[in-house]
Amino acid sequence: MSKIQMTTPLVEMDGDEMTRILWQAIKEKLLLPFVDLKCEYYDLGLPYRDQTNDQVTVDAANAIKKYGVGVKCATITPNAQRVEEYKLKEMWKSPNGTLRAMLDGTVFRAPVVVKGIAPSVSTWQKPITLARHAYGDVYKNSELYVDGAAKAELLVTYPDGRTDRKVIHEFTDSGIIQGVHNTDKSIASFARACFNYALSLKQDLWFSTKDTISKIYDHRFKDIFAEIYETEYKEAFEAAGIEYFYTLIDDAVARVIRSKGGFIWACKNYDGDVMSDMVATAFGSLAMMTSVLVSPDGKYEYEAAHGTVTRHYYKHLKGEETSTNSVATIFAWSGALRKRGELDNLPELCAFADRLEASTLGTIEDGIMTGDLYLLSTLENKKKVNSLEFLDAIAAKLA
Ligand code: NAP
Ligand code: MG
C-alpha cells in the first residue's frame, strides 16, 4: 500500500508527560503507517524549552507563521513546584500564551460528539464551537477599594494634553470601583478570526454582548463586528450559505440551550471563559474537547484542550497501567492534516483525516473506550481498555 504524500511540512510541537507518550504512540500506530508524514519538529517538552531558554517556542511560532498550520501536544506551564521538579533556570511562560501572543490569535474550542455520551442538553445534536476573545476586559483591569465618602471619576489624558472625564460614582460611604479596557485593533482581529473560521467550517456565526446596558463599551464590539462583516465578509458568507447573527447575550443563552448545535458562538472574554466551561461540561468531558488557535491572517494551530494528565503520567512512571483518553490529541492531528490537505489541494490527505476521525469515533461506538468515557457512556456492551489498547483498536479499524 503506498502512503499518502504531503507537500508542505506541518509544524509539529511535541509536549510533556502522559500526552508526550500518547503523541509518540499516535504517530507510530495511526499516522506513519498511512501517511508519508512531512513535519518540521519542535520539541516543546519542558526540558528542551529550558535548555534553549524557551527559544524553541518562539521558533515554533515563527514556523507556523511561515507554513500556516501547526499541531501541538499539551505542555507543562511551569509553576514554583515545576521549577523545583525539573530544576529549571527560570519559570518559563506558558507556551500557549507565547503562541497566542505571537500569532495574535483567537481560540476556538469544540467538543467531539460521540454516540453513547449524551450531552446534558438533550436538544444538542451537533457540536457548539466557542470562540473566546482572549484580550482585555476584566482580565486586564484596574481596581480600587474606596474606603469612605469620595467622588470616583474616569480620566483620559491625550498626548496633546486634551482630557476627557466622567463621574463613576459619588460615594457617600465605602465601596469598590474597576476600570477595564479593550482596543479597536484587538476587537477587529477577533472579529476577522471568527469570520474566517466560520467560513472554513461553513457554519453560522453568532456573536453576543450586553450592548443594551453597555452603550459605548459593548456597543463598540457590536459595531466593529457589523462593519467588518458588511465590508469584508458578507459576500463570502452569502456564497457559502451561512449567516452572521448578532444578539444580546441573554437571548443568545436561551437560544443556545434550545438549539440543535452546529454553529460557532463568539463571546467576549469573560462570557467566553464561563460559557466554554459550561458548554464543555454539558457535552461530557474535557478529554473530548479540541482547540484551535486561528490568527487574523489565517494561520492555524491545533491541540487538545486538556493538559498533560500528570496524575496518569506518575502512575505510568511507577509501572502501573493507564487508561488515558487520546481522542482530543488524535483530533488535533486530524484537524491539522485536513487543513494542510485543504491548503495544498491534497484530497487524499483530507479523506485520511476523515477516516481517522471516523475510526476513532467508531471504536468508541463499538464499545471500546478509556476509563473516563467508560464512566460516562450509556452503551450496554462497553469495555474499558488501557491507553495503548485504545490506539490499537483504532488502528485496526483504520487499516
Ligand atoms: P489535565 O492534564 O487536563 O488533567 C486534569 C484531570 O482531568 C486528570 O487528572 C484527569 O482526571 C482528567 N483528564 C484530563 N485529560 C484527560 C485525558 N485525556 N484522559 C483521561 N483523563 C483526563 O490538567 P492538570 O492536571 O491541571 O494539568 C497538568 C499539566 O498540564 C500542568 O502542568 C498544566 O500546566 C498543563 N496544562 C497544559 C495545557 C496545554 O498545554 N494546553 C492546558 C492545561 C493544563 P483523573 O485524574 O480523575 O483521571
Ligand atoms: Mg474558565
Side-chain angles (χ1 to χ4, degrees):
M1 191 179 69
S2 70
K3 291 189 192 180
I4 298 164
Q5 296 298 310
M6 295 174 65
T7 48
T8 315
L10 188 59
V11 180
E12 175 189 354
M13 289 160 281
D14 209 341
D16 290 298
E17 300 193 312
M18 200 60 211
T19 41
R20 188 178 180 98
I21 291 166
L22 296 176
W23 192 260
Q24 193 55 40
I26 289 169
K27 281 171 63 182
E28 267 167 32
K29 293 174 190 288
L30 302 180
L31 304 175
L32 291 168
F34 307 98
V35 181
D36 197 3
L37 264 191
K38 203 169 169 174
C39 289
E40 201 167 285
Y41 179 85
Y42 292 87
D43 185 359
L44 264 54
L46 189 50
Y48 195 65
R49 270 184 279 151
D50 193 49
Q51 201 181 312
T52 62
N53 297 330
D54 210 21
Q55 182 60 36
V56 65
T57 309
V58 174
D59 293 345
N62 283 324
I64 299 173
K65 286 188 181 177
K66 176 173 169 193
Y67 295 114
V69 187
V71 60
K72 181 180 167 291
C73 180
T75 47
I76 292 169
T77 298
N79 54 16
Q81 182 252 318
R82 297 296 199 168
V83 172
E84 180 67 21
E85 181 183 356
Y86 283 82
K87 305 277 174 260
L88 300 179
K89 295 183 222 162
E90 247 183 65
M91 199 186 292
W92 304 109
K93 279 190 277 186
S94 148
N96 288 57
T98 303
L99 292 169
R100 207 178 302 152
M102 285 188 64
L103 296 169
D104 184 20
T106 297
V107 176
F108 297 86
R109 284 188 159 193
V112 176
V113 177
V114 63
K115 204 169 70 197
I117 316 277
S120 316
V121 179
S122 58
T123 52
W124 290 355
Q125 291 163 10
K126 291 183 191 162
I128 295 169
T129 300
L130 217 125
R132 170 183 171 187
H133 185 209
Y135 178 81
D137 300 352
V138 73
Y139 302 84
K140 273 216 180 292
N141 67 6
S142 263
E143 306 184 310
L144 277 176
Y145 175 64
V146 179
D147 68 9
K151 178 171 162 185
E153 290 174 286
L154 288 175
L155 169 64
V156 179
T157 312
Y158 293 92
D160 63 5
R162 209 163 27 100
T163 58
D164 213 350
R165 64 170 76 217
K166 200 166 195 172
V167 175
I168 300 171
H169 188 63
E170 304 257 10
F171 286 89
T172 54
D173 204 347
S174 58
I176 41 185
I177 58 167
Q178 179 181 62
V180 298
H181 80 281
N182 225 298
T183 65
D184 285 358
K185 182 165 177 269
S186 175
I187 299 167
S189 286
F190 175 49
R192 289 194 178 92
C194 291
F195 290 128
N196 286 334
Y197 199 61
L199 284 170
S200 87
L201 288 193
K202 295 203 168 40
Q203 288 187 352
D204 291 345
L205 174 69
W206 297 17
F207 181 46
S208 53
T209 74
K210 192 75 179 175
D211 65 291
T212 48
I213 298 297
S214 173
K215 290 189 166 57
I216 292 179
Y217 197 104
D218 279 23
H219 215 281
R220 188 79 194 139
F221 279 82
K222 179 183 175 180
D223 287 347
I224 288 175
F225 266 71
E227 192 191 316
I228 290 177
Y229 176 69
E230 288 296 326
T231 56
E232 298 174 31
Y233 290 94
K234 193 172 180 188
E235 273 175 35
F237 267 56
E238 284 170 0
I242 58 173
E243 196 190 357
Y244 168 61
F245 166 63
Y246 176 86
T247 187
L248 195 65
I249 182 91
D250 317 45
D251 180 49
V253 168
R255 284 174 188 261
V256 165
I257 296 295
R258 286 196 305 260
S259 77
K260 292 194 169 74
F263 55 89
I264 299 164
W265 183 16
C267 288
K268 285 178 61 200
N269 211 345
Y270 172 79
D271 299 340
D273 182 352
V274 179
M275 290 302 157
S276 65
D277 287 342
M278 191 198 72
V279 169
T281 308
F283 268 108
S285 157
L286 195 61
M288 298 289 279
M289 187 62 89
T290 61
S291 187
V292 55
L293 176 71
V294 184
S295 75
D297 56 346
K299 313 291 184 210
Y300 295 78
E301 185 254 310
Y302 292 83
E303 60 174 61
H306 60 77
T308 59
V309 210
T310 310
R311 209 180 63 83
H312 295 207
Y313 180 61
Y314 290 159
K315 273 176 72 176
H316 168 82
L317 289 182
K318 282 193 269 174
E320 291 171 32
E321 189 169 70
T322 60
S323 183
T324 314
N325 189 337
S326 45
V327 171
T329 307
I330 294 169
F331 273 65
W333 274 101
S334 59
L337 290 171
R338 183 184 294 106
K339 181 53 72 182
R340 204 55 279 165
E342 282 168 18
L343 295 174
D344 297 344
N345 196 19
L346 301 170
E348 277 194 53
L349 193 59
C350 298
F352 172 76
D354 293 345
R355 282 202 305 279
L356 176 57
E357 292 180 359
S359 304
T360 304
L361 298 181
T363 300
I364 299 168
E365 289 172 358
D366 288 347
I368 301 171
M369 59 194 84
T370 47
D372 56 318
L373 296 184
Y374 184 83
L375 294 174
L376 294 171
S377 177
T378 54
L379 294 183
E380 287 192 353
N381 292 313
K382 54 181 177 177
K383 182 177 164 214
K384 177 182 163 180
V385 293
N386 70 33
S387 307
L388 297 183
E389 286 166 351
F390 181 62
L391 293 174
D392 287 332
I394 298 171
K397 222 176 170 57
L398 194 56

